[in-house]
Amino acid sequence: NFHYCINPERKVSEKAYEIHGYTDEFLSEKKKFVDIKDQFLNFIKNKKLIIHNADFDLSHLNNELSLCGNEKISNEILDTLVLARDKFPGSQVSLDALCKRYRIDNSMRTKHNALLDCALLAKVYINLIDQKEPIFQFQKDVKKNTVDLNINKIYSKKIVKLTEDEINDHKDFLKKELKKNFF
């Protein structure tokens, strides 16, 4: 992760405050973009960027880079807003709407928060490209203190059941590796 709250070097508008909840006082003590831009550029160097509503975010980032005398971001960009509009024409495609569509819990998202939004977007993106991850609901057998492997699953790929011998071989392997590497 790369995360900083940035001192905008100006007053926070009422609208911006309603969106993210950061006060002038809180942000005034944070680093300025110029102070972290090199770290940021190094972090994104040669990486494909997946952004929801990329035009909006890139306009702000490129403006800040321009003010610092840097070139615009030239990374490959995948805009999930465009992807969602193509996949669901005429439907709501905000991050919240996509979380709802894909049953992704976004109840923690009461204000705009970059880290939380990135985590949610990662889950949305996986669904948008039809690579839905499995959702496992493990149920613990309290009496035996074991996990029931007959779990409820939402998964589209073929499940291969291991034989008893394969399970035992794996347990033996793990014991040997743990002893070798940690004891």
Side-chain angles (χ1 to χ4, degrees), residues 12-23 56 60 96 109-114 117:
V12 175
S13 71
E14 282 294 318
K15 186 174 182 179
Y17 175 76
E18 288 173 16
I19 292 169
H20 56 61
Y22 295 129
T23 64
F56 178 82
H60 290 287
D96 285 332
R109 190 176 193 252
T110 57
K111 295 278 186 189
H112 176 76
N113 174 291
D117 288 0

Side-chain angles (χ1 to χ4, degrees), residues 49-111:
L49 304 179
I50 300 172
I51 306 172
H52 196 74
N53 195 3
D55 288 344
F56 178 82
D57 289 343
L58 289 173
S59 69
H60 290 287
L61 287 168
N62 285 329
N63 180 60
E64 289 296 323
L65 287 168
S66 172
L67 293 172
C68 297
N70 287 80
E71 298 288 321
K72 290 181 177 183
I73 291 172
S74 61
N75 298 54
E76 180 182 353
I77 306 293
L78 190 148
D79 190 340
T80 54
L81 182 65
V82 172
L83 191 62
R85 283 180 178 155
D86 289 345
K87 190 166 186 167
F88 308 112
S91 295
Q92 290 288 324
V93 290
S94 67
L95 186 55
D96 285 332
L98 292 169
C99 285
K100 184 176 180 179
R101 174 182 289 276
Y102 290 119
R103 297 184 185 134
I104 297 167
D105 180 13
N106 66 344
S107 60
M108 298 288 293
R109 190 176 193 252
T110 57
K111 295 278 186 189

Side-chain angles (χ1 to χ4, degrees), residues 27 59 115 119 134 154 177:
L27 293 175
S59 69
L115 283 178
I154 302 170
E177 287 300 307

Side-chain angles (χ1 to χ4, degrees), residues 1-15:
N1 289 331
F2 181 89
H3 181 262
Y4 281 93
C5 289
I6 301 294
N7 179 345
E9 301 183 75
R10 63 184 176 277
K11 248 180 123 33
V12 175
S13 71
E14 282 294 318
K15 186 174 182 179

